[in-house]
Amino acid sequence: MKRVDLNADMGESFGPWKMGDDATLLKTVSSANIACGAHAGDPDVMIATMRTAHENGVGIGTHPGFADLQGFGRRRMSVPRASLQNSVRYQVAASVGVAKSIGAKVRHLKLHGALANMASEDDALARDLFEAALSVDPDLIVMVLCATAQEEAVRALGCSFAGEIFADRAYNDDATLVDRSLPGAVIHDPQIAGPRMVEMVQAGAIITESGKRIETSIDTICLHGDTPTAVEIARSVRAALEGADIVVKQFDGRTA
């Protein structure tokens, strides 16, 4: 029987400003990627989100990105490599410490936004960032964008990883994500997202905008928490998967 994890980016609120419905999403997903305060979030939001995830039996992930609150970490930035690595270490260490303080554990790492997109195109950058995170916690499972330079990097490193696809994003023929500025890059219709994910999981492949199939090992599906239909898409994807006898369960991590 096939199985797959469902993950969502969350903990992205800031002070009194709220983004997304994390509490509801945490009743649907099996893993949560929680912002570390650089691209989004703050210490209060981080600890509250981790506590709710822990109470719901949802796996906790650290979600570092560019230090860019105004751009929500979605703007590509030129940062010296050593400084970027130190920023990742700083963010991961914050996540690990906060989780420990509430009796929980950070299971995985997932890069955020523009940082993740850049690492999906550049295996040297991906390796540097993953090594920085693993220097803080070598037991982290590294979540990677399937069939990209991120996957090449973890296979070269020999670390534990999980391959990820997106329920609400369109794909280019090189397995990278269609730029958000382009029409159709983000999928908002829950009725499209659910069956689309079943098709990809059953095929063991990413299906691109052009119809190309890129064979890959799919361990987890991302459901973004910051879109207007996020909760509806999450429910649709889970219902579609379970209706196709695909078990929703936390990933264990694989090695090359």
Side-chain angles (χ1 to χ4, degrees):
M1 183 174 287
K2 289 185 179 293
R3 57 177 280 192
V4 72
D5 172 80
L6 292 181
N7 77 80
D9 302 346
M10 56 183 67
E12 295 171 332
S13 300
F14 190 87
W17 179 80
K18 183 179 179 182
M19 172 175 275
D21 188 352
D22 292 353
T24 300
L25 273 177
L26 284 167
K27 298 182 184 303
T28 302
V29 301
S30 43
S31 293
N33 319 304
I34 299 173
C36 310
H39 76 275
D42 62 32
D44 291 335
V45 171
M46 186 191 296
I47 199 164
T49 309
M50 284 189 176
R51 184 174 284 118
T52 305
H54 187 51
E55 291 169 352
N56 280 273
V58 173
I60 295 172
T62 179
H63 196 36
F66 280 124
D68 180 24
L69 287 173
Q70 291 87 351
F72 195 60
R74 288 181 176 157
R75 298 185 292 193
R76 295 190 176 219
M77 302 176 72
S78 179
V79 181
R81 187 64 54 88
S83 295
L84 197 52
Q85 288 179 296
N86 286 336
S87 178
V88 168
R89 291 186 182 101
Y90 178 84
Q91 294 178 64
V92 172
S95 295
V96 170
V98 167
K100 184 177 180 180
S101 76
I102 60 170
K105 179 176 175 60
V106 174
R107 295 185 74 244
H108 71 273
L109 162 84
K110 177 183 171 180
L111 299 178
H112 170 80
L115 190 60
N117 291 335
M118 291 167 66
S120 73
E121 302 161 4
D122 182 343
D123 65 320
L125 173 61
R127 278 180 75 162
D128 285 347
L129 298 179
F130 296 155
E131 285 181 326
L134 293 168
S135 71
V136 177
D137 185 349
D139 295 327
L140 290 172
I141 301 170
V142 180
M143 192 183 290
V144 300
L145 297 180
C146 285
T148 69
Q150 286 192 24
E151 185 167 343
E152 293 174 21
V154 289
R155 289 185 182 279
L157 288 170
C159 61
S160 182
F161 72 95
E164 176 189 44
I165 63 172
F166 287 78
D168 57 359
R169 295 296 305 278
Y171 281 91
N172 297 308
D173 282 351
D174 63 354
T176 59
L177 300 174
V178 174
D179 190 280
R180 283 178 175 269
S181 65
L182 298 176
V186 181
I187 296 163
H188 297 287
D189 188 344
Q191 300 309 311
I192 293 175
R196 178 172 177 266
M197 288 299 95
V198 170
E199 184 180 12
M200 289 196 197
V201 172
Q202 289 179 333
I206 291 169
I207 301 174
T208 72
E209 281 291 88
S210 71
K212 179 180 178 181
R213 294 191 173 215
I214 303 170
E215 290 189 9
T216 188
S217 298
I218 299 169
D219 301 302
T220 185
I221 296 170
C222 178
L223 308 159
H224 281 106
D226 61 325
T227 58
T229 54
V231 171
E232 290 81 2
I233 286 178
R235 288 171 174 163
S236 170
V237 169
R238 180 153 192 156
L241 291 168
E242 292 177 338
D245 293 327
I246 299 169
V247 176
V248 175
K249 187 176 181 180
Q250 281 179 31
F251 52 78
D252 296 321
R254 64 175 73 230
T255 54

